Amino acid sequence: MQRTAIYPGTFDPITNGHLDIIRRAVKIFDSVVVAIADNKGKDPLFGIDERVAMVQEAVKDIPHVEVEAFHTLIIEYCQKKKALALIRGLRAVSDFEYEFQMALMNRKLDPEVESVFLMPKEKYSYLSSSLIKEIAAFGGDVACLVPEGVHHRLKRKFAEKKERK
Ligand code: ADP
């Protein structure tokens, strides 16, 4: 039986912290699906197709990783993909409360799907997509914190925004 795990998130945009988690997850599971949520409520900077494209580009050299957008409850998506587990990243204690609540709720919805928490390298533990966007919006250098393609797209996105003003 294929042991598949789903790594869900908004990935607005994918960072080196997310990539660190993906690399750890493929060591444990036969395949990992990076599942990108539309999450319109979060008013993402990048559209869903752009986010999928950025993740696809970033993981192209990592074997056994699939990238897909999803529009349902994450647990329904796990069932559709016959996944055993949900992967989430834990950076600091501040992530814990929300993740704990989500994991227990998901267990209630489907007790067969396990939530697995992985910790990134220490140097990524302060990294978040929101922080990246804040720095990039002010023209700060985020080149060593995100994949190259994301760096270019962030520059383009904020240049377009500036032009429109
Ligand atoms: P969500 O909107 O679901 O929180 P994110 O894209 O922000 O989506 O994050 C997806 C998952 O990746 C979450 O479990 C989050 O804690 C984790 N994550 C985000 N940034 C990092 C990082 N720098 N290191 C490790 N895990 C991270």
Side-chain angles (χ1 to χ4, degrees):
M1 194 183 101
Q2 269 275 327
R3 299 171 68 84
T4 302
I6 308 288
Y7 180 31
T10 314
F11 301 99
D12 185 40
I14 184 166
T15 69
N16 290 347
H18 293 124
L19 272 177
D20 178 291
I21 298 295
I22 295 168
R23 288 204 171 91
R24 287 172 202 281
V26 289
K27 286 198 257 174
I28 312 175
F29 294 93
D30 297 321
S31 67
V32 172
V33 183
V34 183
I36 306 179
D38 210 347
N39 245 337
K40 287 208 176 73
K42 275 197 170 180
D43 193 20
L45 175 66
F46 293 98
I48 184 86
D49 295 340
E50 280 178 294
R51 282 180 277 142
V52 169
M54 285 188 281
V55 178
Q56 269 167 344
E57 202 183 307
V59 302
K60 65 179 189 299
D61 297 327
I62 312 175
H64 313 299
V65 179
E66 193 189 316
V67 183
E68 211 173 65
F70 75 100
H71 307 276
T72 56
L73 263 182
I74 188 59
I75 271 304
E76 281 173 21
Y77 183 74
C78 289
Q79 291 160 345
K80 184 179 137 201
K81 301 298 268 187
K82 298 189 171 31
L84 293 176
L86 265 173
I87 304 285
R88 296 289 288 175
L90 272 189
R91 288 163 286 193
V93 181
S94 50
D95 278 339
F96 182 78
E97 192 145 341
Y98 174 72
E99 295 295 343
F100 182 68
Q101 201 179 15
M102 286 278 291
L104 290 186
M105 182 50 80
N106 283 328
R107 180 179 283 166
K108 199 166 184 63
L109 295 173
D110 188 341
E112 295 300 315
V113 178
E114 291 298 341
S115 292
V116 174
F117 297 96
L118 298 174
M119 281 182 286
K121 254 189 212 141
E122 216 176 318
K123 65 176 177 181
Y124 300 133
S125 62
Y126 61 91
L127 196 54
S128 70
S129 301
S130 331
L131 198 55
I132 290 292
K133 286 180 279 188
E134 262 180 58
I135 300 168
F138 287 103
D141 188 8
V142 293
C144 57
L145 304 174
V146 294
E148 206 183 324
V150 172
H151 181 219
H152 291 307
R153 278 181 200 250
L154 276 167
K155 272 194 179 163
R156 209 185 314 148
K157 186 68 100 186
F158 286 113
E160 281 167 11
K161 278 189 180 264
K162 225 174 176 178
E163 267 170 33
R164 261 185 264 131
K165 270 188 194 165

